[in-house]
């Protein structure tokens, strides 16, 4: 379904990302509204991009990533947001000129932290991780 607007979704997502970064995301009324539009078009663009990569066989499905998806989703929205914002964002990146880099890098850093946490829990406490991933 998203293929009908594939290239439009890429274009709109990039424009909204730049605009949202310029208007400081949640901290301004304009940025707050742009952020929600960006999330919608960003998800559509990522679905299209991933679909193309899989279709052309540039990438393969990674079993560890598919098993960890729900854990990453739940983990990044709960405690990790506050931890990351307090520790990394406020203390290490409190310089204005690198704010756009931090804004763009934050989702990647959070996913990587959550994935490694999942891998450690799965390796050392596999019975504990099952309830957190829906027994998958």
């Amino acid at each position: 379904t998203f293929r009908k607007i594939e290239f439009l979704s890429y274009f709109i997502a990039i424009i909204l990302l730049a605009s949202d970064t310029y208007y400081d995301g949640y901290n301004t009324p304009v940025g707050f509204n742009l952020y929600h539009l960006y999330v919608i078009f960003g998800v559509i663009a990522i679905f299209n991009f991933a679909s193309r990569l899989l279709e052309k066989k540039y990438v393969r499905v990674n079993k560890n990533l598919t098993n960890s998806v729900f854990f990453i989703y739940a983990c990044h929205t709960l405690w990790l947001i506050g931890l990351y914002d307090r520790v990394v964002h406020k203390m290490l990146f409190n310089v204005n000129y690198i704010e756009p880099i931090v804004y763009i890098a934050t989702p990647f850093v959070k996913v990587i932290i959550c994935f490694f946490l999942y891998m450690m829990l799965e390796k050392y406490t596999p019975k504990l991780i099952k309830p957190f991933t829906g027994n998958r």
Side-chain angles (χ1 to χ4, degrees):
T1 303
F2 292 145
R3 285 285 175 92
K4 296 174 186 171
I5 59 167
E6 180 178 7
F7 296 106
L8 182 63
S9 71
Y10 298 148
F11 177 74
I12 292 174
I14 290 169
I15 296 298
L16 287 172
L17 174 62
S19 301
D20 189 39
T21 302
Y22 178 78
Y23 285 106
D24 198 20
Y26 269 89
N27 298 324
T28 63
V30 174
F32 181 80
N33 292 321
L34 287 174
Y35 172 76
H36 292 93
L37 286 172
Y38 165 67
V39 168
I40 293 167
F41 281 96
V43 167
I44 293 169
I46 290 297
F47 279 158
N48 282 322
F49 185 67
S51 175
R52 284 283 178 201
L53 291 176
L54 289 167
E55 181 180 281
K56 301 278 185 184
K57 299 195 188 306
Y58 292 131
V59 294
R60 292 183 318 228
V61 176
N62 183 319
K63 187 168 175 41
N64 286 329
L65 287 177
T66 57
N67 290 340
S68 66
V69 168
F70 182 75
F71 181 84
I72 291 172
Y73 170 73
C75 184
H76 98 278
T77 60
L78 297 175
W79 62 273
L80 191 59
I81 290 174
L83 175 72
Y84 182 84
D85 289 344
R86 280 192 307 274
V87 174
V88 177
H89 188 68
K90 299 276 193 271
M91 292 172 63
L92 301 177
F93 296 115
N94 203 11
V95 180
N96 289 336
Y97 65 87
I98 63 169
E99 192 70 26
I101 296 168
V102 172
Y103 181 77
I104 292 169
T106 294
F108 296 105
V109 172
K110 286 182 180 181
V111 167
I112 290 168
I113 291 170
C114 289
F115 179 69
F116 282 118
L117 179 61
Y118 171 81
M119 295 302 291
M120 291 295 110
L121 287 172
E122 185 180 55
K123 182 176 181 179
Y124 296 111
T125 59
K127 290 182 181 179
L128 178 66
I129 196 69
K130 292 244 185 246
F132 293 110
T133 58
N135 291 322
R136 295 175 185 237

